Each structure stands twice: as C-alpha cells, then as structure tokens.
Amino acid sequence: MLEATPLTEGWVLRHEGEGLPAAVPGCVHTDLLAAGVIPDPFVGANETEVAWVARREWTYETELRSGAGGHEQTDLVFDGLDTVAEVTVDGHALGRTRNMHRSYRFDVTGLQGRLSVRFVSAYAEAEAVRGRVGERPAAYPEPYQYVRKMACSFGWDWGPTLVTAGIWRPVRLESWSTARIARVRPLVTVEDGVGVVELHVEVERSRVEAPLAVEATVGGARVRGEIEGTAGVVRLRVPDARLWWPRGYGEQPLYDVELTLLHDGDALDVWRRRVGFRTVRLDTSADAHGTGFTLVVNGERLFARGVNWIPDDVFPSRVTRERYRERLGQAARAGVDLVRIWGGGIYESGDFYDACDELGLLVWQDFPFACAAYPEEQPLRGEVEAEARENVVRLMPHPSLVLWNGNNENLWGFRDWGWEARLAGDSWGEGYYLGVLPRVVAELDPTRPYTAGSPWSGSWERHPNDPAHGTHHSWEVWNRADYGEYRREVPRFVAEFGWQAPPAYATLRRALPGEELAPDSPGMLHHQKADDGNGKLERGLARHFALPKGDFDRWHYLTQVNQARAVAAGIEHWRSHWPRCAGTVVWQLNDCWPVTSWAAIDGDGREKPLYHELRRLYADRLLTVQAREPGLVLAAVNQAGRAWTGTVTLRRMSVQGTVVAEAGVEFRAERRAVARVGVPRELVPAGPKEFLVADADGLRALWFPVPDREVAYPRPEFDVAVAPGAVTVTARTLVRDLLLQADRLRPEARADRGLVTLLPGERVTIGVGGWENPDPDAARAALYCLEPTA
C-alpha cells in the first residue's frame, strides 16, 4: 500500500547565508515575522517597510531521507509552491516550477541529502516574461498578469502589496510499488431519479506487465473493474440516493466514495472523497427582457443570494480549516446561499469546498484571471491549461461547486478600458476564456456549466456588461452616483456591486496603535487602497447626511450606516424583480487584512452592520417598499418553499410618533415568488416629517420620502438596561438606525444584531457575547443612532 510521510519538520529558510526556522506549509513573510526580522505588515504603514522581501531570492532547506521501506518508488510531492522555484537534492536538479496554482511530483527514489527549494522573486519572473511577450494593459501597475500566481498579492483596491514566496501547501513523500492512483475524475449525476457515480481512473505504473483492477463503493453499491494499460472506468448506481440541495431548499446528504487499486487481490492505493447527488444547469435562454442567467438546481430555479469571496488572508497558508468554517459559517448565518470565488485569488483548499458541501453553500469558481490582459504565449499558455486540468479534476467531487467562470472583468476591460487599441492585435486572454477553458471543462467536467467571464453578455454582438444580458457588474453607482441609482436598472444577474465602509473600531485600534484616528489620518489613508476611496465615501455620505466635521466616531458610524443602506437599496430592488433578476452577489464578504473596503466582515473577522443587514436582505422572506409608477408598491418577496399569505399593516406616521393613517392590506406570495401590492394613496407619506411603516409576520419595511439629511428627526430618547449577555433599549421617541458597537465595550465582544429602528414605546434586546461585566454607562456610550440635523 502507498505510504505517505508528511515533510513538516526541520525546514530552514536561508537568505544570503543566514538561516531561520521555517514553517511548512508557510511563506517567507510569515517565517520572517515569526523570527522577529520584519514587523507585522498589517500594522500601521509596515507594509511598505517589508516591500524588500518580495525582491529577494529565498531558499527552503531540509534533510531528505527517502528510504522507500521496501517500495519500488518514492515521490516527493508538493501540493503548492509559490511560485518560481528550483528543487534540488544535494545539487541534483529535480525540476523547476512557475505556477502557484499547481501541484508538483518528483521521483526521488534512492536519493538522500539536502533538499533545497530555491525561490526566485516573482517580480523577476514577471518582468522577464513581460520582456519576452511584450506589455499588456491592466487595472493596476504591478505585473501580476505575467506570472501564474495569486494576483491580489501584488495589491488591489482593498489589499496590500505583499508578494509572497514559499512552500504554501503541504509537502510529503509517497512511497509505492507496482502502481499508484494518479488521478480519479468523478462524474456525479442523477439519471431518472438514480444517483450515478462514474469514476474515470488513471494510474502510474512501475511494472507495466502487472494486472491491475479497481474496486469502488458508494452508498451501499459496489463495483469492480479492470485497468487496461493506465486507465479504466467504473460506474456505480445508487437507486435510493437522496438529493443534495443548497441551504434553504433542502438537506445536504453526502456519500463516501472509496476506490481501491488492486494487484493480485492486494491493495496498492486508495482514493476517498465525499460526493453529493444533484443536477445543475444554467438557464441563459432569451426572453422579453433580454438574456437570462438563472441557476437551476435539481430542477428548482434559484434567486442566488450571493457574496464574493477573496482570499481570507494575503498569506493564504495561514487560513486553517477552522478559519474557513468560521468565515463560511458566518456567510450561511447571513442567509447567503452562493459564494463566488473571485478570479484575482486562488483555487481554495479542499477544506473550503468541504465546508460549502456541508453548509449548502453553492460555489461559483472563477479561474484565476482578473482585471488585466493576459498573454497567451508560452510559457503562460501551457501553465494555464495544466492548472485548469488539475484543478477542474481536483474540485469535481464537490456538489457545492455549480459554475466555472473564465475570468473577472477582462472581457469588459477589453471593450471599455482602452485595451483594444493599446493591444494592437496582441493576445490578451480571449483564447483562454473562449477556447482553452471551455474546452477543458467540456472534456473533463461536462456535469457543470461554464461561462466565459463576469461580466459577460454571452456574445460579442452585445456589450459585455449589458445589464439585459447575462451577468452584470454595477460599479458606476459606487464610483460616480448615489446608491438610489441602483433602482434605475433591473440586470439579469448582478455578479458584483457594493459600497465601502471602514472596519470595526477595535480592528482599527489594533491596526493603527496610538494614532489619533481621523478619516484622513496617515494610518487610515494607508489602509484605504481604493482610488479616491475617501472622496467617494464623503460624497456618498453628503447625499444623505450632514457631514460630521472633526468627529471620527460619528463619521465611522455614518459610513457604516451608509454601506448597509446602499447594499439594501440594490438587493431590495433586485429581489423584488425576481424572476427577471435571478441573483445578487455582494462585493464582498471578507477582507484579507484590516482595511476600509466593501467587505461585510472585516480583516479581523468582525461583522460590520452590513453583515447583519444581509441577514434581513437574504432571508427567505423580505418586505420592501419600492417607488414605482404611478406610486409606492409593497413587495412581499417569498423564497420559501411554501406560499406566504397574510395581511400587511401599513402606517403613515409622523416622525414624532403619531399615526396619520393606517390600513391592512392582504397579500399572497406563492412559493419562490414575489407579490406586489400598491400602497393606497392616502398612506403615502409626504415631506420631511412623515414616513411609512409596513409590518407583516414580524418583518418590517420603512420608507422615507426624503434623504435623511432632510428628515425632521426628533432628538432620540431611549432607556438602556443591561444584564449578563444582553443590552435592552426602550425607545421614548423614534430612534433611527440604532447600533450597538460591541467591540467598543471590549475588543472580543460581539453583538447579535446590527442596525435597528425603534418606534416610540418599542424595545429591542441585543445579545452581547464576550462581555462579562455589563456596565450601563459603557453600553450607552457604545450606542449610536441618527440624530437631527443641526
């Protein structure tokens, strides 16, 4: 039987003769940080102080003892090398690598001695490739498009420039005899209600003449097959297989698949995975509104409640199985059912997809191309196909994976960002997105749909970002307009949109120790990477609120409110237009370091008010009031599996708390449908002193006819009571957008809800974890709400 021995101990990191203890898996930055050689690049402006690390060569060394223990062959296996490396044993070259997204295997049978992995600077490689293939345009000045490496390590509009190197995924020795399993490609389908697993097996042999067989089991089914040469296929049927569903639509049963490679009845190697039985297709048919983009799972059409995922740490080797589960659990608790792995990052580890399988989170997987023209010449072309082939097969077992996407914004960039003229006929990636990648997916994984890019309208006959066709990225609003402009369009599928806000207060205090915080203080500006980010934040605030001059705490609170309001404006509008609009994917769920960004969860894992707002926006049932001709419309959005009937109570109220007019309106929203009812004219509020309240089944929608800066809010009055694990607020006036910033009580404290609006006499109890000694004065100081404009 194949024996695997992890190589995790005894590694040394060397540079110019100096040696330091090294952690494997890991990277140069984390090793230097652990040794105290560099300061924490997440703190202050230290990012710039460690820029030199990326420009140097680094070598990892350990002793290799490859005794085969009676086996015929021993292989040295790297699951990931970042990125350009030469691997040697006592000076004997095993091979060279130039792709972070691939694994590598070297025959080291009989070799012993000093194992060395020498990493060349990724900058040196990228600049050399650029010199050979010529310049290509990109959204950012760093040369990330010339090397197959995590693009965002070169910096992004939310991330630091920390270009890593190292053995970033596990390394091991594998000793084996006769033959080993080289690859298993599982095609998992449902045919006439029967679960089918078809295993395409490839083996590597040490003895060509040895007769080989495989035996496979799943869900009580067992089958045996022969290996002819180096390949074979076995097919299993599971008549009573239960379907795997996205969260909110059903359960997530998973089945263990085991395939054993045999020679004369002896087991040589074993391959084990978990699979789920489900069907998935992408409906892109034309209709009266354009071209749709609707995911269909097990025959059920979905409105995708999504978030974009970036690497959870700029040093991805630090992201553990537990951290994946924490972050993805946060997504599931927010009502998310789809996670898009964005193309400037990586193919995540198996732990990510395992968690999604268990949580019922659909995965949209970008191939790693983002915001740049990518050369199609060698050495890149061969690397792209090799990495695609490996990762498609690696990720195929996961039922959560439902869509392959060719790139992020590159088709759009070619058309709109001036690339076409600058390229003057040079290659730029189109051959990947419309040629290599769809061919690889069709050959290896015909069970899943592929789309050429995001955004993409399905054809060059239309603009790539046409909202009426396919996927749409809505960035004009954040960049140039008020978030009310989201309501002007009904895209078929909104794959990116978002609004910025700073991280939680405790995150800022940790990242910027000793700094007197201000929107434009040095540390705040360093941790704001977006072009004119603060200017866009300020202009966005000014459209709705009086700008707080010289009051950082107030600015911090209002930017958080504005972020939640902006995202709500989009999602409420687009969900109310289901099935014409079939999904929203918020930019973004998470951060990779402490930064002002579009994230709902900041770089320290703290949940912004936006996160809690997503729980309301992505719930199965949502009430929203929308302004449409000829007046206001109440939309009851019902994504639950059964009809929703009831009476909504509509109240036209004054800001002083009196009811001007009231009525009950009956509605019925069928399963997975939206009911729309007109608001009677006499209930439509007018001017800065009135607003509309809609209540049904514990859900509430509010509608104010004017921006907050024009609303005649009363001075908020409320009572505060505390108990272990809870803060209760009772309103004596209208209290708009009340927020308990629990991390101001204690950095470890967490509140179980975000923004809440209370009418006079209403109360709310906010659960607080991690706050052992409740103090009423501290609680009141940590409470924020909107106040009357001065």
Side-chain angles (χ1 to χ4, degrees):
M1 177 69 83
L2 181 147
E3 295 181 10
T5 305
L7 294 182
T8 57
E9 304 297 327
W11 287 93
V12 174
L13 174 64
R14 294 196 182 278
H15 170 64
E16 296 180 349
E18 298 295 322
L20 298 171
V24 172
C27 74
V28 170
H29 286 83
T30 53
D31 289 331
L32 295 176
L33 185 60
V37 175
I38 61 172
D40 186 346
F42 286 14
V43 173
N46 290 342
E47 170 199 357
T48 58
E49 298 298 316
V50 303
W52 60 272
V53 175
R55 295 285 183 175
R56 306 291 177 88
E57 291 189 1
W58 302 91
T59 300
Y60 283 82
E61 293 182 346
T62 191
E63 286 298 317
L64 177 68
R65 295 178 176 84
S66 64
H71 289 287
E72 295 172 351
Q73 182 162 328
T74 297
D75 295 335
L76 174 63
V77 183
F78 294 95
D79 286 341
L81 292 172
D82 176 19
T83 292
V84 185
E86 180 183 33
V87 183
T88 61
V89 176
D90 276 352
H92 170 73
L94 299 180
R96 297 175 184 271
T97 74
R98 60 189 337 141
N99 194 328
M100 179 182 186
H101 306 301
R102 294 179 60 186
S103 63
Y104 297 92
R105 177 180 292 267
F106 304 106
D107 184 350
V108 293
T109 306
L111 292 180
Q112 298 191 52
R114 197 68 174 167
L115 170 62
S116 174
V117 185
R118 182 177 67 88
F119 288 95
V120 175
S121 165
Y123 279 112
E125 168 74 5
E127 289 158 2
V129 171
R130 179 170 57 190
R132 286 153 56 185
V133 303
E135 290 280 351
R136 297 297 192 281
Y140 301 98
E142 298 276 314
Y144 58 90
Q145 69 270 47
Y146 303 101
V147 60
R148 295 308 297 154
K149 175 177 172 55
M150 184 174 86
C152 64
S153 69
F154 288 89
W156 221 260
D157 57 3
W158 37 257
T161 301
L162 293 166
V163 180
T164 53
I167 305 172
W168 77 290
R169 279 183 167 162
V171 56
R172 62 191 173 277
L173 292 174
E174 289 188 356
S175 298
W176 53 280
S177 298
T178 308
R180 69 172 186 89
I181 298 171
R183 186 171 81 163
V184 178
R185 186 166 60 90
L187 297 176
V188 182
T189 58
V190 180
E191 299 177 0
D192 298 323
V194 175
V196 178
V197 180
E198 188 174 279
L199 301 173
H200 294 249
V201 187
E202 297 176 15
V203 301
E204 180 184 358
R205 291 174 174 266
S206 66
R207 284 185 278 159
V208 175
E209 74 282 358
L212 300 176
V214 290
E215 186 172 273
T217 61
V218 60
R222 182 182 299 270
V223 70
R224 186 182 176 95
E226 302 301 318
I227 297 293
E228 299 292 339
T230 59
V233 180
V234 292
R235 183 179 171 92
L236 300 99
R237 292 170 59 84
V238 183
D240 300 321
R242 298 162 57 217
L243 292 179
W244 183 97
W245 287 94
R247 63 168 304 282
Y249 290 83
E251 297 180 345
Q252 294 79 42
L254 297 169
Y255 291 79
D256 293 318
V257 180
E258 182 172 293
L259 182 137
T260 304
L261 179 64
L262 301 165
H263 169 59
D264 290 340
D266 294 328
L268 301 178
D269 198 358
V270 178
W271 178 92
R272 298 183 180 92
R273 296 293 187 277
R274 289 188 307 172
V275 301
F277 294 100
R278 56 102 185 97
T279 64
V280 59
R281 66 183 179 90
L282 181 64
D283 184 355
T284 57
S285 56
D287 57 25
H289 304 292
T291 308
F293 193 93
T294 304
L295 283 167
V296 185
V297 178
N298 298 330
E300 188 80 64
R301 301 174 68 82
L302 311 181
F303 181 97
R305 293 168 279 187
V307 289
N308 281 277
W309 171 276
I310 66 171
D312 204 51
D313 197 315
V314 75
F315 305 131
S317 60
R318 296 201 297 201
V319 183
T320 62
R321 181 180 182 86
E322 292 72 28
R323 184 159 156 187
Y324 277 129
R325 289 177 180 270
E326 176 188 0
R327 198 71 68 244
L328 292 167
Q330 288 173 299
R333 290 190 293 275
V336 169
D337 60 19
L338 180 142
V339 179
R340 176 192 172 210
I341 301 178
W342 166 77
I346 58 177
Y347 307 94
E348 297 287 348
S349 83
D351 294 331
F352 177 99
Y353 305 92
D354 286 343
C356 291
D357 291 343
E358 295 167 13
L359 292 167
L361 293 172
L362 302 174
V363 176
W364 159 334
Q365 177 72 56
D366 280 14
F367 286 97
F369 301 89
C371 300
Y374 283 78
E376 297 176 41
E377 290 79 10
Q378 298 292 9
L380 293 172
R381 188 179 184 88
E383 290 292 344
V384 166
E385 178 153 355
E387 82 178 45
R389 288 183 170 277
E390 176 176 342
N391 284 285
V392 166
V393 173
R394 177 173 73 90
L395 301 180
M396 281 176 63
H398 296 282
S400 57
L401 178 59
V402 294
L403 182 67
W404 295 104
N405 176 51
N407 73 88
N408 175 77
E409 298 190 343
N410 294 344
L411 297 162
W412 182 20
F414 178 77
R415 177 58 54 85
D416 267 9
W417 300 350
W419 295 0
E420 190 169 4
R422 292 173 60 189
L423 285 164
D426 286 342
S427 68
W428 57 275
E430 183 183 29
Y432 297 145
Y433 319 134
L434 299 179
V436 173
L437 297 176
R439 171 171 54 81
V440 168
V441 172
E443 174 192 338
L444 299 178
D445 187 16
T447 68
R448 289 180 178 87
Y450 170 88
T451 184
S454 185
W456 179 235
S457 61
S459 168
W460 281 120
E461 295 177 359
R462 299 181 287 266
H463 189 281
N465 200 28
D466 187 335
H469 300 277
T471 49
H472 178 68
H473 289 195
S474 181
W475 284 118
E476 285 299 297
V477 171
W478 157 253
N479 285 321
R480 296 178 177 84
D482 179 52
Y483 54 71
E485 295 296 301
Y486 285 135
R487 303 185 183 101
R488 289 186 174 272
E489 292 182 329
V490 184
R492 306 312 302 271
F493 193 105
V494 188
E496 280 190 21
F497 78 107
W499 203 269
Q500 274 200 347
Y505 182 79
T507 300
L508 289 174
R509 284 272 57 113
R510 184 192 69 80
L512 306 175
E515 179 165 310
E516 184 176 345
L517 295 177
D520 59 353
S521 60
M524 288 294 296
L525 290 178
H526 187 81
H527 289 249
Q528 163 62 279
K529 296 296 187 178
D531 181 37
D532 191 29
N534 272 16
K536 293 170 185 176
L537 279 176
E538 182 166 321
R539 290 189 292 276
L541 276 181
R543 295 182 181 107
H544 295 271
F545 305 104
L547 293 177
K549 300 298 183 181
D551 186 343
F552 176 82
D553 290 344
R554 197 76 192 159
W555 175 88
H556 181 266
Y557 160 74
L558 288 175
T559 53
Q560 301 276 354
V561 171
N562 224 33
Q563 181 187 38
R565 294 271 195 90
V567 172
I571 293 178
E572 289 187 17
H573 170 65
W574 294 320
R575 281 195 73 180
S576 75
H577 282 279
W578 161 257
R580 180 176 170 184
C581 178
T584 56
V585 189
V586 177
W587 187 270
Q588 64 218 62
L589 174 69
N590 58 326
D591 268 327
C592 65
W593 78 313
V595 64
T596 295
S597 84
W598 299 264
I601 301 169
D602 76 17
D604 282 5
R606 294 187 174 91
E607 297 157 348
K608 297 183 187 179
L610 170 60
Y611 171 85
H612 297 282
E613 184 69 351
L614 286 178
R615 294 173 60 188
R616 180 184 72 86
L617 296 167
Y618 277 167
D620 281 349
R621 291 175 173 173
L622 172 70
L623 282 182
T624 176
V625 177
Q626 298 289 313
R628 298 185 187 168
E629 292 297 333
L632 294 185
V633 171
L634 175 79
V637 181
N638 180 30
Q639 208 159 344
R642 62 182 186 278
W644 180 20
T645 60
T647 300
V648 60
T649 301
L650 297 171
R651 286 178 286 171
R652 177 181 175 185
M653 297 190 66
S654 76
V655 294
Q656 298 304 319
T658 59
V659 177
V660 178
E662 181 175 358
V665 178
E666 294 184 354
F667 68 93
R668 178 181 176 84
E670 301 298 337
R671 67 183 296 275
R672 324 284 193 214
V674 180
R676 303 172 187 89
V677 295
V679 175
R681 184 181 299 272
E682 64 273 15
L683 293 175
V684 176
K689 296 184 179 181
E690 292 185 349
F691 64 104
L692 178 68
V693 182
D695 291 298
D697 293 340
L699 302 180
R700 171 171 286 177
L702 300 171
W703 191 81
F704 287 76
V706 298
D708 288 88
R709 67 172 186 266
E710 299 176 20
V711 177
Y713 287 120
R715 185 157 300 282
E717 297 179 8
F718 52 85
D719 298 318
V720 179
V722 299
V727 174
T728 299
V729 178
T730 304
R732 288 186 268 122
T733 64
L734 172 65
V735 178
R736 180 80 163 121
D737 281 331
L738 179 75
L739 176 67
L740 175 66
Q741 297 192 35
D743 59 293
R744 289 178 179 264
L745 301 172
R746 190 166 180 264
E748 296 78 16
R750 297 288 192 275
D752 67 358
R753 68 178 61 212
L755 300 166
V756 60
T757 293
L758 300 175
L759 304 181
E762 291 184 337
R763 71 173 53 184
V764 63
T765 296
I766 304 166
V768 183
W771 188 39
E772 291 81 11
N773 300 305
D775 177 349
D777 292 336
R780 181 173 282 276
L783 285 164
Y784 290 75
C785 64
L786 296 187
E787 296 177 350
T789 302

